[in-house]
Amino acid sequence: QVQLVESGGGLVQPGGSLSLSCAASGSIVSVSGMGWYRQAPGKQRELVAAIIGAGSTLADSVKGRFSVSRGSAKNTVYLQMNSLKPEDTAIYYCNAEIRAYYGGSYQVYWGQGTQVTVSS
């Protein structure tokens, strides 16, 4: 089985920083793209950042404040969040495209989510 486990959420004041981590484990042959989504109360889940190979993308709302990176083992993804705003408050979810066995296709897996609250 494949698991994605996020860590690093919490409460931070406006203007502060947080770093989120996500590690994929289990029966993994290879990992393709990884990314971060978030869902605020009453809103749809939205893409925050994604990274695949040497390329990455960030939502317009977080450009200049957030950055996304992969670990050397390629089964981890990080989200560095700076200059946080109250509107960044949401549950942040990690996802990854993973091939779990040889000959199989890539499937999308999701983590359980980690709460980020930006408030004074």
Side-chain angles (χ1 to χ4, degrees):
Q1 289 188 350
V2 174
Q3 279 190 319
L4 295 182
V5 178
E6 303 107 334
S7 62
L11 173 65
V12 64
Q13 292 187 341
S17 298
L18 279 176
S19 182
L20 303 183
S21 301
C22 172
S25 62
S27 175
I28 297 173
V29 173
S30 59
V31 182
S32 182
M34 299 187 79
W36 292 94
Y37 286 70
R38 68 185 180 187
Q39 188 166 19
K43 294 188 177 181
Q44 289 188 332
R45 191 173 295 191
E46 63 175 0
L47 174 68
V48 177
I51 184 167
I52 179 168
S56 64
T57 186
L58 292 167
D60 287 343
S61 60
V62 306
K63 283 180 180 177
R65 301 187 297 120
F66 291 13
S67 62
V68 61
S69 61
R70 294 278 289 270
S72 57
K74 304 303 180 186
N75 65 337
T76 55
V77 63
Y78 306 98
L79 185 67
Q80 178 63 40
M81 304 183 292
N82 300 324
S83 302
L84 282 159
K85 304 175 181 180
E87 50 264 44
D88 295 317
T89 296
I91 298 175
Y92 284 70
Y93 297 91
C94 168
N95 85 337
E97 296 173 319
I98 295 173
R99 186 162 60 184
Y101 57 92
Y102 290 100
S105 60
Y106 282 95
Q107 303 291 328
V108 176
Y109 293 84
W110 291 89
Q112 292 296 311
T114 185
Q115 177 70 46
V116 171
T117 302
V118 185
S119 174
S120 56

